[in-house]
């Protein structure tokens, strides 16, 4: 039998009526929220060794290469992109499952990238992670109580005799029966296991949760349950989420701000309307156009899509200049010579492209020549001095380059 | 690939050197006077001193180890002391490279001892491997494709029973019943191929090898069964069936190749272990192999012989490991092509 | 039920599945993975089968391919391909159909290909088992096929191993393998679930174009209603081993009449939806196939039971019967599903559409 044995509804209780099922609408942005986590120019390289007589380093997998963003308190930032774009690595570097190659991660007045081992432990209680696979991320030989209670005991936050009480509270919070604390993970369905993982992450009252594809392994109907649960928890406990996913629709629902990654870099970052309604990067546009949509059934047939040619290049030897240029429908000569800087083009909208524009309205001439100090072909232009400040800063500036008005916009 | 194998060989040599060094150290830590042992029961102090000099026991152990290693490369002449050699040229024993030492206890070079014993053990081990692999894989596959049936349970049960009896029991049982009481086979005594031809060699080896194979049979049946079952539930087996391939092709071409790969590792390591000497089997059947040699040498504190056996056994293990890894690369393109 | 269930118009069906049941006897009882499934498919058309894990969608397609033969599964009903009932064929005759008339594309092309054989050799094997040709002829045929599915340098890539291909390339190779014998029916089981969206788009386009070229009937099994909307002519929604809604794709997806289908639609956010749209989950978990709920299998999770008089939902299994719309079948006791959908469901999940309606 190719399909897993489903699990019965525990208790088999009455289903609530449609109106009673609390579904949430899309999360809203609070532009005034102070940052809780600021990531600046984060790099994560993994060395590659030759398999010869001598094991020598021959290069790096540049999994994450200079990523900056701000995560607001109690808000959520979505990190989207295709496999191999570095979104999961970014999450793991922030939770310090990896030690970043360079860059900084500011949290609570400390730099997590260089923090000492002792301080790291204290910090770990405040930044938690939820994993994709609810089957392999829970130890099958531990009871649910032991799994959820482990962080409490490791960090010694509640007296031993109160651990169980707290575990039961947590199980209740995530919508599981508190009496089931002595059961084992295999007695739960996929969605319930993901709830266990969420309870474990909540145990230490974290301020930040990195959710790495938290729903993609779940059945469609269960995905919505978990997304709603995460939204409720976010509101109740004011938790900031770094929400890593490849499902653009779920990210749109959960995150008021989104960063699109390609081959280790952020190519476009902005609020929901900027990304989903006003994307200026050809990759974001291609990504959005590729998502199949239920509503086209009404009109019948397939929509026009931007077809990307070929595959994502290897992160060991990424293309020169703009990393997307090998698959980009609008690439020109300058793209192979210079890496486009992440330019702010709206109040909360940045894009890294030499030819940023709405679909079908990309400019003919590169807009980045002034910043880079080069001419239209990417050759040095003696008349223009390059801007010194090309490294991307996290967050948004108060002024930006307004593409429509061809002028400087102000907040 | 070949660079990788070369690197492994270099590491192997270093490992072997360490192995001999550790063995030396262990022996010199023991409260035994090597020279007195080597000299014999009725020796006066002067004779012991001469023996000590002749075999190099008067030097510190690291120097002895150094001269041992040099001997492996250059060869040695016994007695080691040049004066003693000059005094009695008729007793000089030439131990050509790779010289592994001289056993005073056996009055032979270790090389001679090993060349006598190794073929016995290698024959025994090779035949045992062939027997247990053949029957283990065959029964394992039968067991897997009839999973849950009476055949499956019978095979697994019977091999487990065989596994549960200790080797010395099975060996003695075979000798007592199959050979002596029922007279089904002649009493086995090792006969090299050079002396009696392949027939005699095989006939005499069969019983000890079979005894040895029985020990391994049960685990190979179970493991083959498990791997075949796992392999048959893989997605690519479904693909193979969906293509319309014959059941036989699906099983043998697609199922077994992946299932039997892990057996290469197991077989290689088990085989290498046996090459160091199947002590119990050799003892019971009185086969003069490396196992017997080891036991005798240990009883006599015969350091040079022990070092020789350790070195050969260690070399076999390291060599088999390298062979297994290279075999893997040939079998699995994911290993070969990264 | 008979062939009169053809829903999408003129071409005569070449595949008719009638009352298909796949039951697995276990020590705890009979697992009814598929329990009375009927549908038809015409050449060149696409049927989308939608459902969650355990709904029986994959089990049913394996039954069409005869992959349950030789296992403990009990398969009954009729599967007629061009008039031949596949379930009555001998194992050997069924094998000759497999891969030739019916081919399958699997979800994870990495695990669906043998890691030890080159991609080309595996495709050539599929060709040579049904065609008496030499190695050379098979190779050139495979290279042509690889080129057709858009694999660059097919002659060189022939000798590459599956792990050397990217996910999208592997799935292209799987498609080449499935189409090499020009089958009349291709079953694609979650063909794009393991792929990234842009690659998914490439693969769906490829599949659609090749289908047109070869006039193949396609069954696409997926949990993604978006993929169905894009690819399928007909859609069949499965729940607990049974069809709960069946009809032309645009009809079922724009006017769904069964609360489970509503749930599927409401639990997936839409890229272009109003941000006020709610993401309403289906409460509870998928049903046990060992002890399915009494009456309608969906009743423990259904939020509209109070719209149905009495204990009908918990006691009587509704028939898969025609709704008010032509060709649209649904398995539900609700008398006025259209109205409930428009008044209660649509304003929650797609406020902008509700206003138009």
């Amino acid at each position: 039998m190719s399909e897993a044995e489903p699990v019965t509804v525990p208790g088999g209780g009455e289903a609530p009526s449609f109106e009673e099922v609390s579904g949430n609408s899309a999360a809203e942005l609070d532009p005034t929220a102070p940052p809780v986590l600021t990531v600046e120019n984060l790099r994560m390289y993994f060395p590659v060794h030759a398999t010869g007589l001598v094991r020598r380093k021959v290069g790096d997998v540049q999994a994450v290469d200079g990523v900056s963003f701000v995560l607001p308190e109690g808000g959520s930032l979505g990190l989207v992109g295709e496999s191999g774009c570095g979104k999961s690595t970014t999450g793991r570097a922030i939770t310090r499952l990896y030690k970043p190659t360079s860059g900084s991660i500011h949290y609570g007045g400390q730099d997590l990238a260089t923090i000492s081992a002792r301080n790291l432990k204290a910090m770990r209680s405040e930044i938690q992670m939820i994993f994709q696979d609810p089957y392999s991320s829970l130890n099958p030989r531990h009871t649910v109580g032991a799994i959820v209670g482990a962080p409490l005991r490791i960090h010694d936050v509640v007296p031993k005799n109160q651990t169980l009480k707290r575990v039961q509270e947590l199980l209740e919070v995530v919508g599981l029966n508190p009496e089931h604390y002595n059961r084992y993970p295999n007695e739960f369905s996929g969605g319930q296991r993901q709830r266990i993982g969420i309870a474990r992450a909540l145990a230490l009252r974290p301020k930040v949760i990195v959710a790495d594809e938290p729903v993609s392994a779940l059945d469609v109907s269960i995905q919505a349950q978990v997304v709603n649960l995460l939204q409720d928890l976010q509101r109740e406990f004011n938790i900031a989420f770094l929400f890593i996913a490849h499902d653009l629709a779920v990210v749109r629902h959960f995150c008021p701000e989104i960063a699109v990654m390609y081959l280790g870099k952020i190519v476009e970052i902005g609020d929901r309307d900027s990304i989903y309604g006003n994307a200026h990067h050809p990759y974001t546009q291609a990504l959005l156009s590729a998502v199949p949509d239920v509503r086209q059934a009404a009109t019948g047939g397939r929509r026009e899509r931007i077809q990307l040619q070929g595959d994502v290049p290897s992160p060991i030897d990424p293309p020169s200049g703009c990393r997307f240029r090998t698959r980009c429908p609008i690439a020109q000569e300058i793209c192979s010579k210079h890496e486009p800087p992440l330019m702010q083009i709206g109040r909360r909208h940045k894009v890294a492209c030499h030819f940023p524009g709405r679909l079908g309205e990309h400019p003919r001439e590169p807009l980045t020549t002034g910043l880079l100090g080069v001419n239209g072909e990417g050759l040095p232009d003696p008349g223009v001095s390059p801007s010194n400040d090309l490294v991307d800063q996290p967050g948004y500036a108060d002024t930006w380059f307004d593409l429509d008005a061809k002028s400087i916009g102000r907040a | 690939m070949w660079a990788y194998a070369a690197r492994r060989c270099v590491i192997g040599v270093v490992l072997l050197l360490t192995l001999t060094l550790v063995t030396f150290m262990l022996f010199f830590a023991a409260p035994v006077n090597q020279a007195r042992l080597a000299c014999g029961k009725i020796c006066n102090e002067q004779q012991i001193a001469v023996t000590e000099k002749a075999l190099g026991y008067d030097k510190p152990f690291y120097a002895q180890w150094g001269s041992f290693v040099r001997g492996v490369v250059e060869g040695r002449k016994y007695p080691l002391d040049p004066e003693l050699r000059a005094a009695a040229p008729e007793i000089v024993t030439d131990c050509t490279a790779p010289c592994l030492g001289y056993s005073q206890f056996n009055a032979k070079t270790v090389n001679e001892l090993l060349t006598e014993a190794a073929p016995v053990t290698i024959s025994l081990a090779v035949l045992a491997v062939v027997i247990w692999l053949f029957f283990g894989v065959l029964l394992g596959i039968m067991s897997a494709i009839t999973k849950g049936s009476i055949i499956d349970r019978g095979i697994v049960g019977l091999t487990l029973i065989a596994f549960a009896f200790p080797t010395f029991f099975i060996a003695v049982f075979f000798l007592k019943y199959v050979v002596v009481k029922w007279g089904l086979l002649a009493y086995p005594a090792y006969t090299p191929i050079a002396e009696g031809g392949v027939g005699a060699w095989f006939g005499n080896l069969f019983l000890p090898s079979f005894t040895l194979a029985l020990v391994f049979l049960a685990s190979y049946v179970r493991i083959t069964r498990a791997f075949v079952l796992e392999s048959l539930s893989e997605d690519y087996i479904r693909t193979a069936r969906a293509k319309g391939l014959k059941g036989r092709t699906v099983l043998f071409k697609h199922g077994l190749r992946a299932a039997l790969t892990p057996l290469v590792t197991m077989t290689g390591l088990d085989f290498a272990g046996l090459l160091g000497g199947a002590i119990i089997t050799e003892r019971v059947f009185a086969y003069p192999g490396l196992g017997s040699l080891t036991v005798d040498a240990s009883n006599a504190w015969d350091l040079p012989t022990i070092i020789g056996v350790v070195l050969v056994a260690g070399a076999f293990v390291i060599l088999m490991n390298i062979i297994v890894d290279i075999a893997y690369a040939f079998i699995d393109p994911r290993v070969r092509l990264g | 039920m008979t062939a009169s269930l053809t829903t999408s118009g003129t071409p005569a069906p070449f595949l008719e599945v009638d009352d298909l049941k796949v039951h697995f006897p276990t020590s705890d009882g009979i697992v009814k993975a598929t329990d009375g499934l009927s549908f038809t498919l015409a050449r060149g058309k696409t049927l989308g089968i939608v459902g969650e894990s355990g709904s029986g969608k994959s089990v049913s397609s394996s039954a069409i391919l005869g992959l349950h033969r030789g296992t403990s599964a009990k398969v009954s009903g009729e599967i007629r391909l061009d008039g031949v009932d596949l379930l009555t064929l001998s194992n050997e005759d069924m094998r000759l159909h497999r891969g030739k008339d019916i081919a399958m594309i699997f979800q994870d092309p990495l695990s669906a290909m043998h890691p030890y054989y080159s991609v080309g050799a595996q495709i050539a094997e599929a060709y040579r088992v049904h065609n008496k040709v030499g190695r050379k002829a098979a190779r050139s045929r495979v290279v042509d096929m690889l080129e057709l599915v858009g694999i660059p340098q097919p002659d060189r890539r022939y000798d590459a191993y599956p792990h050397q291909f990217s996910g999208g390339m592997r799935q292209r190779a799987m498609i080449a393998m499935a189409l090499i014998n020009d089958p009349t029916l291709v079953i694609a089981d979650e063909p794009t679930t393991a792929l990234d969206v842009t690659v998914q788009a490439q693969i769906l386009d490829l599949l659609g174009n090749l289908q047109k070229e070869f006039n193949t009937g396609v069954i696409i099994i997926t949990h993604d209603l978006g993929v169905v909307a894009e690819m399928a002519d007909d859609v069949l929604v499965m729940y607990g081993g049974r069809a709960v809604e069946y009809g032309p794709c645009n009809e079922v997806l724009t006017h769904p009449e069964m609360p489970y289908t509503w749930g599927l639609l409401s639990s997936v956010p839409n890229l272009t939806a109003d941000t006020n749209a709610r993401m309403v989950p289906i409460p509870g978990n998928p049903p046990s196939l060992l002890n399915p709920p009494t009456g309608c299998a969906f009743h423990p999770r259904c939020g509209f039971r109070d719209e149905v008089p009495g204990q009908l939902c918990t006691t009587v299994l509704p028939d898969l019967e025609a709704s008010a719309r032509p060709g649209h079948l649904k398995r539900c006791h609700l008398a006025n599903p259209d109205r409930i959908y428009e008044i209660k469901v649509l304003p929650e999940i797609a406020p902008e559409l509700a206003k138009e309606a």
Side-chain angles (χ1 to χ4, degrees):
Chain A
M1 210 164 51
S2 57
E3 283 173 281
E5 185 75 27
V7 179
T8 33
V9 183
E14 296 283 294
S17 73
F18 185 77
E19 290 85 351
E20 288 163 6
V21 179
S22 63
N24 291 324
S25 54
E28 275 174 45
L29 176 71
D30 175 9
T32 60
V36 61
L37 186 82
T38 307
V39 174
E40 200 170 339
N41 210 14
L42 184 72
R43 283 200 163 77
M44 189 68 235
Y45 288 5
F46 298 99
V48 181
H49 294 286
T51 52
L53 196 55
V54 188
R55 245 174 78 89
R56 63 179 196 285
K57 199 181 126 176
V58 289
D60 283 302
V61 174
Q62 304 176 12
V64 179
D65 195 19
V67 162
S68 305
F69 57 81
V70 169
L71 188 59
E73 215 174 276
S76 15
L77 176 74
L79 222 47
V80 299
E82 297 180 284
S83 38
C85 72
K87 55 188 195 299
S88 288
T89 310
T90 306
R92 279 156 196 254
I94 287 167
T95 43
R96 277 300 304 274
L97 293 175
Y98 298 144
K99 170 130 181 50
T101 309
S102 72
S104 62
I105 306 160
H106 291 288
Y107 174 83
Q110 284 176 307
D111 182 1
L112 302 184
T114 54
I115 196 168
S116 70
R118 181 184 311 190
N119 293 341
L120 185 64
K121 190 187 167 194
M123 177 284 290
R124 281 236 160 96
S125 67
E126 299 185 18
I127 301 185
Q128 288 288 315
M129 191 147 184
I130 301 172
F131 296 93
Q132 167 175 8
D133 187 351
Y135 292 88
S136 64
S137 61
L138 302 178
N139 188 331
R141 282 175 188 79
H142 289 183
T143 62
V144 168
I147 291 169
V148 177
L152 296 172
R153 254 166 292 127
I154 291 166
H155 290 270
D156 205 17
V157 285
V158 287
K160 221 173 179 176
N161 56 0
Q162 285 178 33
T163 310
L164 178 61
K165 194 170 150 271
R166 175 86 180 114
V167 165
Q168 290 187 321
E169 277 171 28
L170 285 163
L171 291 179
E172 189 141 28
V173 164
V174 297
L176 292 172
N177 187 338
E179 299 305 317
H180 290 171
Y181 68 90
N182 54 2
R183 295 196 177 183
Y184 288 89
N186 65 346
E187 298 174 63
F188 294 87
S189 68
Q192 290 170 321
R193 286 175 193 224
Q194 197 56 295
R195 288 172 191 267
I196 297 168
I198 294 170
R200 171 174 62 185
L202 284 178
L204 297 169
R205 302 178 193 280
K207 294 211 175 67
V208 176
I209 287 183
V210 175
D212 189 358
E213 300 273 10
V215 298
S216 54
L218 305 176
D219 265 326
V220 187
S221 69
I222 309 298
Q223 283 189 7
Q225 294 178 6
V226 172
V227 169
N228 277 306
L229 171 67
L230 292 178
Q231 279 184 313
D232 292 339
L233 295 173
Q234 174 170 42
R235 232 168 274 160
E236 195 172 334
F237 301 110
N238 201 34
I239 301 167
F241 274 89
L242 183 66
F243 194 92
I244 300 164
H246 68 275
D247 186 331
L248 291 157
V250 170
V251 171
R252 178 177 183 266
H253 184 84
F254 194 84
C255 306
E257 274 191 295
I258 297 97
V260 183
M261 286 186 73
Y262 185 82
L263 216 53
K265 287 185 179 290
I266 291 180
V267 296
E268 190 160 10
I269 182 169
D271 56 18
R272 184 183 289 131
D273 290 341
S274 302
I275 298 293
Y276 288 90
N278 194 22
H280 274 60
H281 197 284
Y283 178 63
T284 314
Q285 289 159 354
L287 211 53
L288 288 170
S289 83
V291 180
D293 186 3
V294 184
R295 299 203 181 156
Q296 65 201 326
T299 54
R302 276 176 279 161
R303 292 162 306 144
E304 275 306 301
R305 272 198 290 255
I306 306 166
Q307 283 281 9
L308 290 183
Q309 298 306 314
D311 291 309
V312 182
S314 158
I316 299 175
D317 185 20
S320 63
C322 174
R323 293 190 173 188
F324 182 58
R325 71 173 164 88
T326 51
R327 305 173 72 200
C328 182
I330 58 165
Q332 291 187 26
E333 212 178 331
I334 185 175
C335 301
S336 65
K337 291 188 176 130
H338 295 280
E339 194 185 319
L342 201 55
M343 257 193 318
Q344 188 165 344
I345 58 165
R347 186 188 300 268
R348 300 183 80 83
H349 191 187
K350 289 185 189 178
V351 63
C353 180
H354 293 297
F355 304 93
R358 289 186 196 91
L359 193 53
E361 299 173 18
H362 291 281
R364 296 252 168 89
E365 296 296 318
L367 300 180
T368 50
T369 47
L371 283 168
L372 296 165
V374 294
N375 65 17
E377 278 74 51
L379 301 167
D381 186 342
V384 194
S385 57
S387 164
N388 300 321
D389 194 28
L390 285 183
V391 176
D392 177 39
Q393 300 298 318
Y396 301 96
D398 291 336
T399 58
W400 61 88
F401 186 65
D402 192 318
L403 293 177
D404 295 328
K406 296 268 183 291
S407 65
I408 300 294
R410 266 173 224 290
Chain B
M1 210 358 242
W2 297 115
Y4 171 75
R7 191 170 85 210
R8 289 289 305 269
C9 288
V10 170
I11 296 172
V13 168
V14 174
L15 259 173
L16 283 178
L17 284 177
T18 322
L19 199 62
T20 55
L21 180 64
V22 170
T23 318
F24 261 92
M25 283 166 70
L26 281 176
F27 256 81
F28 282 88
V32 173
N33 185 334
Q34 285 294 332
R36 182 185 292 274
L37 266 179
C39 181
K41 277 192 178 120
I42 32 170
C43 264
N44 57 31
E45 289 302 315
Q46 201 204 344
Q47 283 170 312
I48 291 174
V50 171
T51 315
E52 204 166 48
K53 246 185 163 178
L55 297 177
Y57 289 135
D58 54 338
K59 309 235 168 55
F61 87 87
Y62 51 86
Q64 289 188 38
W65 180 69
S67 90
F68 167 80
V69 173
R70 203 164 336 113
V72 172
V73 183
E74 294 174 350
R76 290 203 275 186
K77 282 189 169 52
Y78 286 94
L80 290 175
D81 193 73
E83 285 171 31
L84 288 175
R85 277 207 301 273
E90 70 281 2
I91 61 151
V92 170
T93 311
D94 194 9
C95 178
T96 50
C99 176
L100 298 177
Y102 180 80
S103 165
Q104 186 83 356
F105 174 74
N106 289 298
K108 280 178 179 170
T109 61
V110 174
N111 300 42
E112 282 174 289
L113 289 172
L114 290 176
T115 12
E116 283 164 20
V120 181
T121 298
I122 293 175
S123 304
L124 201 58
V126 166
L127 201 55
V129 164
V130 171
I131 294 172
W132 93 56
L133 260 189
F134 180 76
F135 287 104
V137 169
L138 191 75
L139 294 176
I141 294 170
M142 278 171 60
S143 191
I145 53 183
T146 59
K147 186 191 163 202
S149 71
I150 208 100
I151 300 175
D152 174 26
R153 277 179 234 174
I155 290 172
V156 170
L158 281 177
T159 51
L160 265 183
I161 290 174
F163 180 66
F165 285 108
T167 318
F168 57 81
F169 174 84
I170 296 177
V172 172
F173 174 87
F174 278 158
L175 278 180
K176 170 136 199 209
Y177 284 88
V178 178
V179 175
V180 178
K181 219 164 187 182
W182 302 334
L184 297 176
L185 287 167
Y187 200 95
Y190 180 71
T191 321
I193 296 180
E195 281 173 28
V198 177
W201 172 81
F202 178 80
N204 279 302
L205 271 176
F206 179 73
L207 212 50
S209 298
F210 189 71
T211 309
L212 205 51
L214 272 187
V215 184
F216 292 91
L217 191 63
S219 51
Y220 277 73
V221 167
R222 305 207 74 164
I223 293 218
T224 306
R225 180 179 181 272
F227 282 130
V228 169
L229 282 179
E230 190 189 313
S231 163
L232 288 183
S233 66
E234 294 280 357
D235 283 357
Y236 54 75
I237 294 298
R238 193 180 49 177
T239 312
R241 294 187 64 206
K243 280 190 220 176
L245 296 180
K246 292 200 178 86
R248 230 174 325 130
T249 318
V250 173
L251 175 67
F252 287 104
K253 190 174 168 194
H254 291 260
L256 287 189
R257 187 157 168 201
L260 299 187
T261 311
L263 282 187
V264 172
T265 316
M266 268 187 70
T267 312
L269 297 184
D270 284 341
F271 180 58
L274 275 188
L275 288 178
I279 291 178
I280 296 173
T281 311
E282 285 180 16
R283 267 324 230 202
V284 175
F285 286 95
Y287 265 50
L290 290 174
S292 292
L293 188 64
T294 315
V295 176
D296 293 338
S298 305
N299 286 339
W301 285 92
D302 183 4
L303 173 65
T305 308
I306 288 184
I307 298 234
V309 174
V310 164
L311 198 66
V312 168
F316 277 137
V317 170
I318 290 169
L319 191 71
M320 283 315 293
N321 260 305
I322 296 175
I323 291 175
V324 162
D325 281 356
I326 292 175
Y328 245 98
F330 274 103
I331 298 169
D332 191 339
R334 287 171 298 184
V335 177
R336 182 166 70 240
L337 304 165
Chain C
M1 273 173 256
T2 60
S4 65
L5 291 179
T6 316
T7 53
S8 57
T10 39
F14 78 106
L15 173 72
E16 295 165 272
V17 173
D18 201 0
D19 198 26
L20 176 66
K21 288 181 180 160
V22 185
H23 291 183
F24 296 91
T26 69
S27 49
D28 300 323
I30 297 172
V31 172
K32 297 174 179 171
T34 304
D35 205 18
L37 185 68
S38 305
F39 60 82
T40 60
L41 181 66
R43 282 209 74 154
K45 292 286 178 188
T46 303
L47 170 71
I49 300 185
V50 185
E52 298 178 277
S53 39
S55 64
K57 55 192 199 306
S58 289
V59 171
S60 311
S61 61
S62 296
I64 296 173
L65 218 55
L67 290 181
H68 294 304
R69 288 163 186 254
T71 70
S72 61
K74 302 264 174 292
V75 184
S76 65
E78 277 183 40
I79 301 170
R80 284 189 302 278
L81 185 76
D82 285 324
V84 181
D85 185 355
L86 298 180
L87 291 182
T88 62
L89 292 180
S90 71
N91 283 348
E92 181 61 12
D93 286 341
M94 185 64 225
R95 179 180 76 77
L96 293 175
H97 278 285
R98 236 183 259 144
K100 186 166 197 316
D101 302 314
I102 317 162
M104 191 143 181
I105 299 167
F106 297 100
Q107 168 173 359
D108 180 0
L110 182 58
S111 63
M113 286 196 169
H114 201 295
Y116 294 174
Y117 297 104
S118 76
V119 170
Q122 296 188 49
I123 303 176
E125 192 182 30
Y127 187 58
R128 293 188 66 193
V129 73
H130 297 294
N131 297 277
K132 293 240 166 299
V133 293
R135 273 174 200 285
K136 270 214 175 111
R139 185 181 173 113
S140 79
R141 165 86 178 147
V142 171
V143 170
D144 289 349
M145 228 32 226
L146 288 175
E147 184 154 26
L148 187 72
V149 297
I151 289 177
Q153 298 173 290
D155 200 37
R156 244 192 48 201
R157 301 295 274 171
Y158 181 98
D159 295 306
Y161 290 91
H163 74 275
Q164 297 172 304
F165 275 47
S166 70
M169 285 298 152
R170 272 195 291 267
Q171 198 57 293
R172 284 172 192 268
M174 278 301 287
I175 293 174
M177 190 193 287
L179 294 179
I180 196 154
N181 291 314
D182 195 7
T184 49
L185 172 65
V186 170
I187 302 171
D189 189 352
E190 303 268 12
T192 57
T193 308
L195 306 175
D196 282 317
V197 270
T198 58
V199 182
Q200 164 171 298
Q202 293 173 358
I203 295 294
L204 291 181
D205 279 351
L206 174 72
L207 208 53
N209 295 339
L210 291 175
Q211 174 184 22
K212 253 178 244 152
E213 197 175 326
F214 290 90
N215 196 30
T216 318
V218 174
I219 297 177
I220 189 162
I221 297 165
T222 178
H223 65 275
D224 188 336
L225 286 172
V227 170
V228 165
E230 191 144 308
M231 297 290 290
D233 301 295
D234 286 352
V235 60
L236 188 146
V237 182
M238 282 190 79
Y239 189 80
R242 292 197 181 88
V244 294
E245 193 154 11
Y246 178 37
C249 188
N250 58 350
E251 171 52 46
V252 170
L253 292 185
T254 50
H255 297 99
E257 299 192 7
M258 157 81 197
Y260 177 64
T261 316
W262 298 345
L264 283 182
L265 286 166
S266 71
S267 50
V268 187
N270 194 288
L271 262 192
T272 51
D274 192 318
T275 45
N276 291 321
R278 292 203 296 143
M279 192 167 161
V280 189
I282 305 173
N285 289 296
S288 158
L289 299 176
L290 200 54
N291 298 302
T294 55
C296 172
F298 187 61
H299 87 256
R301 305 174 73 189
C302 184
F304 300 90
R305 266 161 54 200
D306 45 4
E307 309 276 347
V308 176
Q311 297 296 307
L312 221 47
C313 290
T314 53
T315 53
V316 180
L317 174 69
D319 285 330
L320 186 67
E321 55 192 13
S323 77
R325 295 162 198 286
H328 191 154
L329 304 177
K330 49 125 190 175
R331 192 190 288 279
C332 183
H333 288 301
L334 282 176
N336 49 350
D338 257 2
R339 235 181 84 75
I340 297 175
Y341 182 66
E342 264 169 38
I343 293 175
K344 287 196 168 172
V345 183
L346 215 48
E348 297 290 347
I349 67 169
E352 74 280 14
L353 289 185
K355 276 169 224 149
E356 287 166 26

